[in-house]
Amino acid sequence: MLTVRIARWSAEHPWRAIGAWLLFVAVCIGAGQVTGTRSADFDDHPKGELATYQSIVDEAGFTRPATENVLISARDGALDRDHALAAANEVRTGMGSLREVGKVSEPVSSPKGKAMLVNVELAGDPETADERVDKLLATTAAVQKQYPDLLIEQVGGASLDKALSATLGDDFQKAELISIPVTLLIMLVVFGALIAAGVPVLLAMSAVGAALGLSAVASQLIPATDNTSSMILLIGMAVGVDYSLFYVRRDREERAKGAGHVDAVEIAAATSGHAIVVSGIAVTVAMAGMFVVDDIVFSSIAVGTILVVLAAMIGSITVLPALLAKLGRFVDKPRIPVLWRFSMRNSDNPRFWRAVLKPSLRAPRTTMIISGGVLVALAVPAFGMTLNSPSSSDLPRSIPIMRSYDRMTDAFPSTGATHQIAVRVPASQTGAGKAAVTDLLARLAKEPGFAHDQPPRVTAASGGRIYLISAGIPYDGTSPQADESLAKLRTSLLPATVGQVRGAEFAVSGQTAGENDFVASMNDALPWVIGFVLLLTFLVMLWAFRAPVIALSAIGLNLLSAGAAYGVLVLVFQHTWAEGLLGFTSTGGITAWLPVILFVTLFGLSMDYHVFVVSRIREASAVMPTRDAVAAGITRSAGVVTSAAAVMIGVFSIFATLSTIDMKQMGVGLATAILIDATLIRAVLLPALMTVLGKANWWTPRFLRKRGEVNANEETRVLEPVG
C-alpha cells in the first residue's frame, strides 16, 4: 500500500522527511510573496446579459469616472447653512488642488436642508481608484479638524472598497488569532499532552501557509477574491487538524497495544492514512463542484480550498509519520495531569457511546424513522429559503463609513433606481436602430412602471450604431415593483422595439438587473453543482469501498445533513430572533452564493467522518457479525470523530462572530451541519441504517471484486482494512 511505503520511508528517514516538508512550505510561501496576489476584477469576467452590456459599452468607449461624495451635516441640532457652505468651499479648494482629482462639483443642499454634499470625480482608471483615494480622505479629515462642530464625511466607491478591505483583513486576522488557541485548547483536552496536541495544530498551520502561497501563484490564472483567504483558513485548520488527529490517535492506540514506534506508524498508515487519502480525494472532488458555477468568486474559492486540502493530506501521510517515529513515546509528553486522565479514560472506556448506540442496535428501524424524521423536520424550513444578492444592507453598521453611507442616503434619498440599457445595431441598420430607440422611448413614457417626471437619458455613439439609455423607475432597486419593470423591459418593451431590427443586440444592467441575474445564476447553478458532487462522490466511495450500498447511503445521509443545515440557516437568518445573539440585522434572506458554498463544503467535510467511521466498521466486520462490527466501529471511532467535530465546530463558530453577515451565515451553517453530522447522523442514523442493511452493506458487484473475493452474502469473504 502506497501510504505504508511512504510512512515507512518517513519513519526511517525522519529528518529528511521533516526537512523536505519545511522546504516545501517555505518555497510555497516564498513563491506567493514573489508573485503577489492578483485580485479579481469582476468587470473583466461578466456573464450572460452583463457580458453583452459590457461588450457594447466597451466598444463605445464610454468610461465613468470613479466618484466620491463629501457629506457635511450638523453634529447636533439644525445645520447652519452658511457655516456648512464655508466648509464645503474648503473641501472644494482642497480637492481641486489634488492631481488625483478630475472635477469637483458645486455644493448641493439636501431636500430638507439637513446636509450639504460635494461630489468629487477622480482622475485616472476608475478600477484602481481605491489606490489613489488616500489623499482625498486626508483632505476630508483636514477640513473636519477645521470645523469640529460639523460632521464631515467622505463616502464613495473607492473609499468603501478601502474600508471594507481593511475590515475583511482585520476579520481574517481575528479568525486566525482566535482559531489557533481554540484548536490547541481542544487538542489539549483530546490528548492530555502538550506535544500530541501541538503536532496537529502545527501541521494544519503549515498546510494553510503553503496553500496561501500556492493560491497567490494560482491567482495569476484565476484571480483571488476577498473571501479566498478566509476559506483557506477555515477549511485548512479544520481538515488539517482532523487528518492529523485521525493519524495520531490510531498511532497512540496501536502503541497502547504494544506495537513498536515504526510498527504503530505503519499500522496507522495502512488504516487511518488510507482513510485520509480517500477523504482528501472526496473533499477535493466536492470542492471542485464550485467550478461548475463558472463564476470567478467560486472558482477562486475552489482553487484555494482544493490546495489547502491537498496540502493537509500530503503533510499527514508524509511528515506526520516522521514526527511520530522520531518522537516515539515523547509525543505524550509533557502530560497535563487532569486532562491526561480524562483523555485516557475517555479513549479506554466508551461506555457513553455504547449507551448512545443501544437504540440504533436494538430497534434500528424505529431509530431510523425517528432520527430521520427529526432531520426532515429541520430541513423543511429550507424550502422557504429566500436568496438575496449581496448589497450594502449586508454590511455591518459597526464600520464607520457604513454609518456615513446611511446618513448620506437619509439626507439625499434616491427618487428611484435606474435601468441601464445598451443597444447595438449593425452599420447597415442605423436608421432602423434610431427609429426603434425612438419607439422604445415613446413606450417608456407611457409605461406606468417607469419615471415620467425624469425622461430617459440617451447617449448615442459609434455613428449611431450604439445607444446607452438610462431609464429611471420610481421605486427602490430591490423592490418587487423594480423587478416587475425589469421583466417588462426585457420580455416585452425591448423585444418589441429594438428586437425587431435585424442583427440588433440589447442588454439591461443596473442594480435591479445585477441582483436578479446573480440570484438567477445561483438558482440555475445549484442543481448542476449538486448533481456533479453527488456523482463524483458516489464514484469515489465506490472506488474506496467497492460497495454500491455504502456509496449510496453516504450520499443519502449527507443530503439529510445538508438539508437540516439549510433549514437551521433559514430559521436563524431569515427571521429576527437571533439578531441580538449574533450581532446582525436580518435582511430577510440568505446570501445568494452561500447555498452552493455550503453544499460543497458540507459534503466534502462530511466525508471525513463517514470514511473514517465506515472504514473502522468495515475493518471490524472482517472478523465479527455486522451488528457487532457496527458497535465496535462506532465506539472505537467515536472519540476521534467527536474530537474532530469539536475542532471544526470551534473554528466555524469563530466565523459566526465576524463582521459581515455572509461570514456569519457561513459559520453558523457549517458549525450546525458538523454538529448534526457528528451526532445525529454518525452516532444514531448511520449505525441504525447499517444494522438494518446487514451484509447488504458490503455487497460488491462481480466486476468490482478482487481475485479471491466472494460476495458479502456468502459465508466468508476477504476484506482489506482501510481505516
Side-chain angles (χ1 to χ4, degrees):
M1 186 180 292
L2 179 61
T3 54
V4 176
R5 293 198 297 271
I6 293 172
R8 184 182 299 118
W9 183 90
S10 296
E12 293 173 351
H13 307 87
W15 290 118
R16 293 184 186 179
I18 295 170
W21 175 253
L22 293 176
L23 179 63
F24 168 73
V25 174
V27 168
C28 292
I29 294 174
Q33 291 178 341
V34 169
T35 61
T37 300
R38 180 185 166 212
S39 298
D41 179 357
F42 300 104
D43 288 340
D44 291 340
H45 303 84
K47 295 194 308 177
E49 193 159 338
L50 178 59
T52 302
Y53 178 88
Q54 196 65 46
S55 170
I56 296 172
V57 170
D58 290 344
E59 181 182 341
F62 288 110
T63 57
R64 292 184 178 178
T67 61
E68 292 288 308
N69 300 286
V70 179
L71 179 71
I72 303 169
S73 57
R75 288 189 180 275
D76 296 299
L79 179 69
D80 183 332
R81 190 179 184 285
D82 292 337
H83 196 47
L85 185 60
N89 287 329
E90 286 288 343
V91 170
R92 295 188 69 238
T93 300
M95 293 293 184
S97 66
L98 300 176
R99 65 177 183 179
E100 289 81 7
V101 171
K103 182 181 178 182
V104 183
S105 74
E106 294 285 342
V108 178
S109 292
S110 65
K112 295 182 180 180
K114 294 166 38 179
M116 194 167 287
L117 194 71
V118 177
N119 180 266
V120 183
E121 292 184 0
L122 275 74
D125 185 357
E127 301 297 336
T128 59
D130 59 330
E131 300 173 7
R132 303 187 304 279
V133 77
D134 284 339
K135 290 186 178 179
L136 281 76
L137 291 168
T139 300
T140 302
V143 178
Q144 174 68 87
K145 287 184 179 180
Q146 289 181 254
Y147 296 84
D149 54 326
L150 295 174
L151 195 58
I152 302 175
E153 307 165 284
Q154 183 173 323
V155 182
S159 52
L160 274 169
D161 286 346
K162 195 170 189 66
L164 293 177
S165 295
T167 299
L168 291 173
D170 291 343
D171 275 356
F172 178 73
Q173 290 180 350
K174 174 185 175 182
E176 186 178 32
L177 290 174
I178 298 176
S179 64
I180 293 172
V182 166
T183 303
L184 182 59
L185 180 61
I186 295 172
M187 289 294 96
L188 286 172
V189 174
V190 171
F191 289 109
L194 187 59
I195 294 177
V199 166
V201 177
L202 289 174
L203 186 62
M205 289 173 59
S206 64
V208 169
L212 287 172
L214 290 174
S215 69
V217 177
S219 72
Q220 309 308 311
L221 296 175
I222 300 178
T225 63
D226 291 336
N227 292 326
T228 304
S229 295
S230 297
M231 286 297 293
I232 289 175
L233 175 66
L234 186 77
I235 302 301
M237 288 303 296
V239 171
V241 170
D242 275 10
Y243 290 169
S244 301
L245 180 60
F246 295 160
Y247 211 110
V248 174
R249 283 292 290 264
R250 188 58 185 258
D251 173 81
R252 173 191 267 189
E253 181 182 326
E254 297 304 324
R255 283 192 290 107
K257 294 177 182 177
H261 303 319
V262 175
D263 291 337
V265 167
E266 289 190 7
I267 294 171
T271 54
S272 294
H274 186 72
I276 287 168
V277 171
V278 174
S279 173
I281 294 172
V283 177
T284 299
V285 163
M287 296 301 177
M290 286 184 277
F291 288 119
V292 176
V293 182
D294 189 28
D295 182 273
I296 190 63
V297 174
F298 293 93
S299 296
S300 170
I301 293 175
V303 169
T305 52
I306 287 173
L307 286 172
V308 79
V309 169
L310 293 178
M313 181 186 75
I314 292 170
S316 298
I317 64 175
T318 57
V319 72
L320 191 55
L323 288 170
L324 294 176
K326 191 66 181 174
L327 289 168
R329 295 193 179 276
F330 283 100
V331 75
D332 290 330
K333 308 287 184 178
R335 296 174 182 176
I336 303 171
V338 175
L339 295 179
W340 173 259
R341 287 195 295 271
F342 174 81
S343 170
M344 297 309 295
R345 184 172 65 249
N346 189 48
S347 60
D348 295 338
N349 189 11
R351 285 181 296 178
F352 172 77
W353 292 106
R354 290 196 185 103
V356 171
L357 279 173
K358 279 184 180 179
S360 299
L361 300 179
R362 291 183 178 178
R365 288 179 174 82
T366 303
T367 303
M368 281 178 58
I369 293 171
I370 294 174
S371 58
V374 171
L375 289 170
V376 170
L378 284 174
V380 167
F383 292 98
M385 181 183 291
T386 299
L387 296 183
N388 290 340
S389 179
S391 68
S392 61
S393 60
D394 297 341
L395 301 173
R397 266 46 196 175
S398 58
I399 305 175
I401 197 169
M402 293 311 303
R403 296 196 294 272
S404 301
Y405 174 84
D406 289 341
R407 281 189 284 268
M408 184 179 71
T409 55
D410 179 63
F412 293 86
S414 172
T415 57
T418 58
H419 296 311
Q420 306 296 330
I421 308 166
V423 175
R424 177 166 55 195
V425 300
S428 60
Q429 298 292 320
T430 54
K434 182 177 181 180
V437 169
T438 301
D439 186 16
L440 173 65
L441 297 176
R443 297 188 185 213
L444 289 174
K446 300 176 183 177
E447 201 59 47
F450 292 82
H452 298 150
D453 57 336
Q454 295 179 348
R457 299 192 304 273
V458 183
T459 305
S462 301
R465 288 184 54 247
I466 292 177
Y467 293 89
L468 293 186
I469 305 166
S470 181
I473 55 175
Y475 314 113
D476 180 80
T478 60
S479 65
Q481 296 92 333
D483 295 339
E484 291 174 8
S485 66
L486 175 67
K488 184 77 171 179
L489 191 59
R490 283 177 164 175
T491 61
S492 175
L493 295 173
L494 280 166
T497 54
V498 178
Q500 300 301 308
V501 179
R502 190 174 67 253
E505 298 174 273
F506 57 83
V508 184
S509 183
Q511 179 188 7
T512 308
E515 294 186 0
N516 274 262
D517 291 350
F518 183 75
V519 172
S521 69
M522 293 299 99
N523 283 326
D524 292 343
L526 187 58
W528 291 100
V529 171
I530 291 174
F532 176 89
V533 172
L534 293 183
L535 175 61
L536 290 192
T537 300
F538 175 80
L539 294 176
V540 170
M541 295 298 289
L542 193 62
W543 161 75
F545 293 99
R546 295 175 291 111
V549 174
I550 290 294
L552 288 172
S553 63
I555 289 173
L557 292 174
N558 285 345
L559 281 174
L560 278 175
S561 178
Y566 281 163
V568 171
L569 203 62
V570 169
L571 290 174
V572 172
F573 286 99
Q574 281 192 200
H575 305 285
T576 59
W577 65 268
E579 287 183 335
L581 180 66
L582 295 175
F584 71 94
T585 300
S586 176
T587 60
I590 305 300
T591 302
W593 56 263
L594 191 65
V596 171
I597 294 284
L598 203 59
F599 182 82
V600 298
T601 305
L602 293 180
F603 229 82
L605 296 181
S606 294
M607 287 297 106
D608 269 356
Y609 307 137
H610 200 86
V611 169
F612 189 74
V613 173
V614 174
S615 294
R616 294 303 297 260
I617 295 172
R618 181 181 180 181
E619 186 179 343
S621 70
V623 294
M624 60 181 70
T626 299
R627 187 185 298 268
D628 295 337
V630 169
I634 295 290
T635 54
R636 290 172 184 172
S637 62
V640 69
V641 167
T642 303
S643 304
V647 171
M648 285 197 182
I649 292 169
V651 173
F652 295 155
S653 297
I654 292 168
F655 278 74
T657 69
L658 300 187
S659 300
T660 57
I661 195 171
D662 53 358
M663 288 291 107
K664 290 180 183 292
Q665 290 177 351
M666 185 167 66
V668 170
L670 289 174
T672 301
I674 296 301
L675 179 62
I676 292 171
D677 199 69
T679 54
L680 198 55
I681 295 286
R682 305 302 162 206
V684 180
L685 191 52
L686 173 64
L689 176 62
M690 294 191 74
T691 301
V692 169
L693 292 173
K695 289 184 178 180
N697 285 297
W698 312 112
W699 173 75
T700 304
R702 187 176 299 276
F703 72 92
L704 288 175
R705 297 178 198 169
K706 294 182 178 180
R707 181 175 296 180
E709 186 178 15
V710 296
N711 196 349
N713 293 319
E714 298 179 33
E715 188 172 350
T716 60
R717 55 195 168 89
V718 177
L719 284 176
E720 178 184 321
V722 296

